[in-house]
């Protein structure tokens, strides 16, 4: 009986440890993009950089949106979020993000991504955006694609 209890407690601890590690890994990968985007936005329109990210399994990242409000772009363009296992954390950035067509946020799913970040000015407002583009086969979704994950309202803000 004692052995079974120790085994259950060990598995719970290990599971929590692995989730925490995945969360740290995702945050480190996303910080590569946000730091590059903020530096590019300081340079103005016409700046460009290519980078590679590896988003851990079962993690989704939205640039230019708050969770569940992807349709509100560009009002939330200076935000980004990480979603993992029903939990969501969101952050603000000094850069404003857009998908490649400047019609909405860029959403990244799990996997490896080769991304191009470039700055462009939206002609109607004069606002500078960092366009996040890559191939759709790498899991990049644009504004016109459905975002299919439900957000647990109590879990928002964990990062």
């Amino acid at each position: 009986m004692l052995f079974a209890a120790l085994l259950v407690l060990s598995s719970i601890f290990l599971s929590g440890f692995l989730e925490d590690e995945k969360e740290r890994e995702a945050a480190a990968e996303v910080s590569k993009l946000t730091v590059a985007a903020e530096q590019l936005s300081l340079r103005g329109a016409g700046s460009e950089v290519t980078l590679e990210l590896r988003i851990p399994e079962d993690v989704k990242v939205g640039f230019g949106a708050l969770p569940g409000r992807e349709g509100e772009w560009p009002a939330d363009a200076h935000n980004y979020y990480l979603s993992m296992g029903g939990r969501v954390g969101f952050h603000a950035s000094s850069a404003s993000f857009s998908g490649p067509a400047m019609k909405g946020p860029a959403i990244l799913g799990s996997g490896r991504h080769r991304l191009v970040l470039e700055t462009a000015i939206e002609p109607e407002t004069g606002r500078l955006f960092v366009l996040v583009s890559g191939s759709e086969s790498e899991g990049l979704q644009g504004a016109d694609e459905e975002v299919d994950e439900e957000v647990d309202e109590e879990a928002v803000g964990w990062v």
Side-chain angles (χ1 to χ4, degrees), residues 68-121:
R69 291 178 38 107
E70 288 83 359
E72 299 295 319
W73 186 92
D76 298 325
H78 64 283
N79 296 301
Y80 63 97
Y81 69 87
L82 284 88
S83 173
M84 181 179 88
R87 299 182 305 168
V88 178
F90 53 93
H91 304 276
S93 173
S94 62
S96 292
F97 298 100
S98 175
M102 206 178 296
K103 292 183 180 176
I107 311 295
L108 296 175
S110 302
R112 292 190 183 274
H113 303 276
R114 171 166 274 181
L115 301 171
V116 175
L117 306 180
E118 66 178 301
T119 52
I121 294 177

Side-chain angles (χ1 to χ4, degrees), residues 19-154:
E19 288 295 310
D20 289 346
E21 186 58 32
K22 185 189 295 187
E23 186 179 316
R24 281 190 288 278
E25 181 183 346
E29 288 295 306
V30 168
S31 73
K32 292 177 190 177
L33 188 143
T34 58
V35 166
E38 289 172 350
Q39 290 176 353
L40 284 176
S41 67
L42 290 173
R43 294 181 185 165
S47 299
E48 183 178 303
V49 68
T50 301
L51 61 114
E52 291 187 25
L53 299 181
R54 191 182 93 40
I55 306 297
E57 191 173 325
D58 300 323
V59 175
K60 181 174 80 170
V61 185
F63 294 98
L66 289 173
R69 291 178 38 107
E70 288 83 359
E72 299 295 319
W73 186 92
D76 298 325
H78 64 283
N79 296 301
Y80 63 97
Y81 69 87
L82 284 88
S83 173
M84 181 179 88
R87 299 182 305 168
V88 178
F90 53 93
H91 304 276
S93 173
S94 62
S96 292
F97 298 100
S98 175
M102 206 178 296
K103 292 183 180 176
I107 311 295
L108 296 175
S110 302
R112 292 190 183 274
H113 303 276
R114 171 166 274 181
L115 301 171
V116 175
L117 306 180
E118 66 178 301
T119 52
I121 294 177
E122 197 277 318
E124 288 182 28
T125 63
R127 185 174 179 181
L128 180 72
F129 284 91
V130 175
L131 308 178
V132 180
S133 59
S135 80
E136 289 184 27
S137 64
E138 294 176 322
L140 178 67
Q141 298 175 340
D144 50 356
E145 295 183 46
E146 282 284 318
V147 178
D148 60 355
E149 185 173 312
E150 288 187 28
V151 175
D152 179 354
E153 295 298 326
E154 293 178 11

